[in-house]
Amino acid sequence: DKAVKAARRAFASWSVSSRAERIELMETIASEYQKRLGELAHAVTEEMGAPASLAQNAQAPLGLGHLKTAVEVLKHFAFEEPRGTTMILREPVGVCGLITPWNWPLNQIAVKVFPALATGNTMVLKPSEKTPLTALLLADVLYDVGLPPAMFSVVTGDPREIADELITNPDSELIM
């Protein structure tokens, strides 16, 4: 509940950030992620038993690939689209509750976190209780580049209790 409330407060400012601000932050994240690629790959191997070559050559780099794709999409994404006499506005939805499985942990996290971040949302991540290390290392990457903790929180522990709280919390607008 504390993480969701903090994300709700952070949403007020992040949701109105500019495209340029989001791109700059995400490119900074990509640079830091790249620097820590070996550490992230090692964490995947340690926590889920993936062969080191698979973690180093596929799993960790795939998360970086999703981040770079999100940046490229954001550069040209149509947040406003006129259709006749109507204007379609694509706006941030709010606090995203993200629940991820144990397999391919960086990939499963990246495909949710980076698009949400790019589109101005804040997040609370509940990683699998079997593979929380990669989520915590990714949080370190995000915090090390200056992302305020309230914009992205990781909550570990009992999967049913935390997932139920995210799903039923009135401040969680989207569960993925």
Side-chain angles (χ1 to χ4, degrees), residues 115-162:
L117 190 62
T119 54
N121 297 289
T122 56
M123 300 146 280
V124 176
L125 171 65
K126 191 301 183 206
S128 169
E129 71 282 6
K130 298 186 183 332
T131 55
L133 182 57
T134 51
L136 296 170
L137 283 173
L138 180 61
D140 282 346
V141 168
L142 297 175
Y143 301 153
D144 285 350
V145 301
L147 187 77
M151 283 177 49
F152 174 78
S153 297
V154 178
V155 181
T156 62
D158 181 272
R160 289 187 187 114
E161 182 181 326
I162 296 168

Side-chain angles (χ1 to χ4, degrees), residues 5-53:
K5 286 188 183 335
R8 164 63 45 221
R9 288 189 301 274
F11 178 73
S13 61
W14 182 244
S15 64
V16 296
S17 61
S18 70
R19 180 190 313 256
E21 290 170 316
R22 294 177 195 171
I23 290 169
E24 180 180 0
L25 176 64
M26 293 181 71
E27 287 176 338
T28 304
I29 292 168
S31 177
E32 183 66 19
Y33 189 115
Q34 181 70 49
K35 289 178 194 171
R36 297 181 66 180
L37 201 58
E39 182 182 358
L40 289 160
H42 181 73
V44 170
T45 297
E46 287 296 311
E47 73 180 351
M48 66 170 286
S53 62

Side-chain angles (χ1 to χ4, degrees), residues 92-124:
V93 296
V95 177
C96 298
L98 311 177
I99 302 170
T100 57
W102 67 270
N103 59 331
W104 287 78
L106 278 173
N107 177 68
Q108 300 299 319
I109 295 167
V111 298
K112 296 179 181 194
V113 167
F114 299 132
L117 190 62
T119 54
N121 297 289
T122 56
M123 300 146 280
V124 176

